[in-house]
Structure formats: C-alpha cells, structure tokens
Amino acid sequence: MMALAGVPMGLRFRVLDHAADCCAQDVAEFVRGEFDDDGALMRFAQGLTVATFDFENVPAASIARLSKQLKVAPNATALATAQDRGIEKQSARELGANVGAFMLVDNAEQADQALRDIGLPLILKTRRMGYDGKGQARIRDQSELEPGRQSLGGTALIAEAFVPFKRELSLVAVRARGGNMAFYPLVENVHIDGVLALTLAGTAVEDKLNQQAKSLARGIAEQLDYVGAFALEFFELEGKLLFNEMAPRVHNSGHWSIEGTAASQFENHLRAILDWPLGKTELRQPTAMINCLGAMPERSLALDLADAHWHDYRKQPRVGRKVGHITIQAESCRALADQVWDALAVLGMSAWQPSVHAALERLRTS
Ligand SMILES: Nc1ncnc2c1ncn2[C@@H]1O[C@H](COP(=O)(O)OP(=O)(O)O)[C@@H](O)[C@H]1O
Ligand SMILES: [Mg+2]
C-alpha cells in the first residue's frame, strides 16, 4: 500500500522480506532475506535514498545498522521503545497520559503480586513481539494465572487490568523531519478476539478527546524525535482516553485514509521520511474499513456494494490472518452505518457481533 501511494509521486521501491510470497513484490523490487542478516540488509540498502519499515518486529539493531548506510525513519530508538509494552506504557504515563493499571511480570511471585494489586480480570501479555492479540492470556480466575503465565513463556510479561471500555479509538499521526505534524481524526475500532475487524471514521468523538490524543501524539513524537506515521490506540472509558499502545508505523486502523482523505497515511508517511510537505488529513466523507480475516469474501458480492473499494493483499489464506480490506463510503454517518451493516451481512462477516452492532448504532446517530 505504501508503494501504491508512492509510485504515482514518482518514487520507486525495493522491499526486504523473509517470506517468499511477500505481497509487495508485485509493486516493488524484492530482496529476500532475514531482517537480521547483514548481507541481506546491505543488498537491500544498496543505492537507496531512504529506508523505512511497516512491520514493528523488525529488530531495532537492524534499523540502527541501516542508519549507518543511509537515511532511515523512524529511528531505531523510537522502534525499540514501541517494541516493549512496558516501556511504551511507562513513557506515555510520564507524558501525562491516562494508562490502566499495569505491572511488569518476570516470574511467578510478580504474577501473584499483580493479581493482588490489580485484581481480576487481568490480561497477561508478552512485552515484545505480540500482534493481533497474539501473545496474550486473559485471566478470569486465580487458577488461570500460572498456566497463563507459562503459556506466554513465563517471563518478560506485562499484567494489565482488564479495561471495561465503552469503545476503542485510535489516532494516526505523522511527523515530518522539521517537526511539523499532521493528524488524522480519531477513529473507532472494533476488535474481535484481539484482531481489528472494523474501523469507522466519522463517528462522533468528543472534541476534548481529539485534543487529548493529539497532544499526547505530539509529546511522544517529540520525545522520540519521530519521523513518519504512527498510531496510538486508546480505550474510551467514562469520557476519558486510556492509552493502550503505540504502533511505530502505518496502521491498519488508518487504511480507510486511502479513500477517506486527500493524503492517505501511506502518502504522508512517504512525504515525512522524504522531507516533503505533508498533505491534508481531513476526513472527506464518512468512511468505514472492514478487514478481511482468514480469506477474502466473494469478490463479486463485494464489488456489487455501493461505494465499496476492494483491497486484496494476495496473501495465502490462514485462520485469522489479515488478507485484505474493503472500504465503504457514504454521504452521511447514518447511510454509512446502514451500508456497512448490509455489507457485513452480504459478505457473511461479523455483523452479528454485539460490539459491531453497538459501534454501528453510535455511527448511525453521529
Ligand atoms: N487491558 C485491556 N483491557 C481490555 N481489552 C484489552 C486490553 N488489552 C487488550 N485488549 C483487547 O485486545 C486487543 C489487542 O490488544 P493490544 O494490546 O492492542 O495488542 P496487539 O494489538 O499488539 O495485539 C485490544 O485492541 C483490545 O480489544
Ligand atoms: Mg493493538
């Protein structure tokens, strides 16, 4: 998607990936190799103007190594900070963000302590490498604590209070080399089993929350001397935003911006790392993004929907894997809610989920 945004602007791309079926090879020169293989990194870097990443589990050491050869953004320290859930939550708290109760857990004693201090229910997560709800265990009862901890490797974990949120929101922001920033609107996200299923852009969000999210994004980006796009994920609870995590990259909850704004997150990420002026991030009309999980739905059904845009990543089907998305736009929030509802039903997707229903009701009355 980044290459698809950059080619019309005159850019050409090379991509490094270890997977033979790397889907970007259709639109970019492909170097196959491991992210920590110096030879592969150097073959990749040869002749490039600037390098970036769209996957946050690239080793920070590889980004540091590449930075000796060429311009790289975001920087390795920013990546390393965002790779550790403990460090990112701590830094956000120091910058004044509300963060739910959490404790670092490296052994059984600390797990017991977390249970006493935080209470049930509790979520245990690996501090590093988790994504799409992977590397997490929900602890509803004391008897689940030790098996849960063991299932996650026993150490380098974080225990978090389960947040009974009203809804989940995220903010995609972009910071240019000179420090100028652009912000997409806060959008509402529905996750099912820890995986993003639906993003709604245009649904009402209190102005106060938008301001809070932007000011935290600015604080984090300045502290990390961040260049490029990044996302902040929040829980909304009792009129407040609780920070959950940061993604140091373009984000799935920003995919709606391809059709929903003048300059998508991909375009603005490229503009930022190239030191070009940033483009407009205002929402053009209410826009929804439906993730295709596991396999793509029937194409003819999706293309028959009004104002639907089909994005097929050409990834091998696998249970729960993000293999594509569908963007839907409408003149009004009410019309969008109806169209998304119909689309989910037609495509045999998650319309029946209570969390989807509640989000669409909020959109309808926005
Ligand atoms: N402390 C929490 N309380 C309630 N729900 C949570 C909590 N942590 C995670 N979740 C749910 O799981 C999803 C994925 O967790 P997250 O921390 O964002 O990890 P990742 O996206 O890296 O897998 C969240 O979007 C949310 O739906
Ligand atoms: Mg997340």
Side-chain angles (χ1 to χ4, degrees):
M1 284 180 269
M2 205 185 288
L4 289 173
V7 169
M9 298 196 294
L11 304 172
R12 292 296 176 266
F13 292 79
R14 182 183 298 151
V15 59
L16 172 67
D17 196 344
H18 52 77
D21 65 347
C22 160
C23 60
Q25 65 191 293
D26 291 341
V27 287
E29 184 189 328
F30 177 36
V31 173
R32 188 168 176 204
E34 297 298 327
F35 298 134
D36 58 0
D37 172 355
D38 205 58
L41 283 174
M42 291 308 107
R43 268 185 290 133
F44 167 69
Q46 183 69 41
L48 296 182
T49 310
V50 60
T52 188
F53 49 88
D54 73 354
F55 173 63
E56 76 191 77
N57 291 328
V58 175
S62 301
I63 296 306
R65 172 77 178 95
L66 276 178
S67 307
K68 296 202 176 99
Q69 301 297 122
L70 79 167
K71 203 150 79 165
V72 182
N75 68 65
T77 314
L79 173 61
T81 303
Q83 278 175 339
D84 186 308
R85 294 184 194 279
I87 299 177
E88 75 184 346
K89 283 200 155 74
Q90 192 58 46
S91 328
R93 182 173 277 171
E94 282 161 15
L95 285 164
N98 294 310
V99 184
F102 72 91
M103 286 174 69
L104 304 187
V105 168
D106 289 318
N107 53 46
E109 291 72 51
Q110 288 172 351
D112 288 339
Q113 187 66 43
L115 189 101
R116 281 195 295 276
D117 290 1
I118 299 175
L120 290 169
L122 198 71
I123 301 192
L124 280 179
K125 301 179 183 174
T126 55
R127 289 220 290 274
R128 303 172 60 82
M129 304 299 272
Y131 70 99
D132 287 350
K134 294 186 177 57
Q136 302 193 10
R138 301 216 171 173
I139 313 298
R140 294 167 204 86
D141 181 274
Q142 185 168 5
S143 66
E144 295 176 344
L145 184 64
E146 190 50 20
R149 187 180 75 84
Q150 295 291 349
S151 74
L152 299 176
T155 189
L157 308 179
I158 184 171
E160 297 178 13
F162 181 86
V163 179
F165 54 78
K166 174 181 152 201
R167 59 175 171 175
E168 294 188 79
L169 300 170
S170 66
L171 176 83
V172 173
V174 191
R175 185 167 180 269
R177 287 188 185 274
N180 185 31
M181 288 192 73
F183 305 92
Y184 293 88
L186 267 181
V187 293
E188 176 164 351
N189 300 314
V190 180
H191 292 84
I192 297 176
D193 298 330
V195 185
L196 183 65
L198 180 66
T199 295
L200 303 173
T203 204
V205 177
E206 263 183 84
D207 208 41
K208 181 186 79 182
L209 301 187
N210 258 308
Q211 293 312 325
Q212 276 174 16
K214 281 191 207 175
S215 106
L216 179 64
R218 187 176 293 283
I220 291 176
E222 284 174 1
Q223 186 176 59
L224 296 173
D225 194 19
Y226 195 95
V227 172
F230 63 99
L232 302 182
E233 294 181 15
F234 298 97
F235 302 123
E236 184 183 341
L237 178 69
E238 290 158 5
K240 280 197 192 139
L241 281 185
L242 291 192
F243 170 85
N244 178 33
E245 63 168 348
M246 168 186 182
R249 53 175 169 79
V250 287
H251 195 248
N252 193 178
S253 74
H255 289 2
W256 62 272
S257 65
I258 297 173
E259 292 87 5
T261 62
S264 73
Q265 62 166 350
F266 300 101
E267 175 171 338
N268 264 334
H269 179 72
L270 293 168
R271 289 183 185 222
I273 66 175
L274 286 160
D275 207 6
W276 293 358
L278 300 181
K280 281 195 159 189
T281 51
E282 285 81 19
L283 178 69
R284 290 199 285 209
Q285 61 174 335
T287 304
M289 190 235 33
I290 299 170
N291 259 347
C292 302
L293 301 174
M296 292 304 287
E298 183 63 53
R299 183 173 52 207
S300 56
L301 292 178
L303 292 180
D304 242 4
L305 298 164
D307 263 324
H309 301 266
W310 176 256
H311 296 258
D312 182 347
Y313 311 155
R314 288 161 58 91
K315 287 192 171 177
Q316 288 302 316
R318 195 200 300 149
V319 176
R321 190 180 200 192
K322 293 171 173 171
V323 294
H325 73 268
I326 296 165
T327 308
I328 298 184
Q329 301 192 283
E331 293 293 319
S332 67
C333 288
R334 176 176 290 274
L336 183 62
D338 290 340
Q339 276 173 238
V340 172
W341 179 264
D342 290 346
L344 291 170
V346 165
L347 301 174
M349 293 162 95
S350 42
W352 47 272
Q353 288 270 354
S355 51
V356 170
H357 191 261
L360 291 180
E361 277 312 304
R362 279 191 289 272
L363 177 66
R364 193 185 308 279
T365 52
S366 288

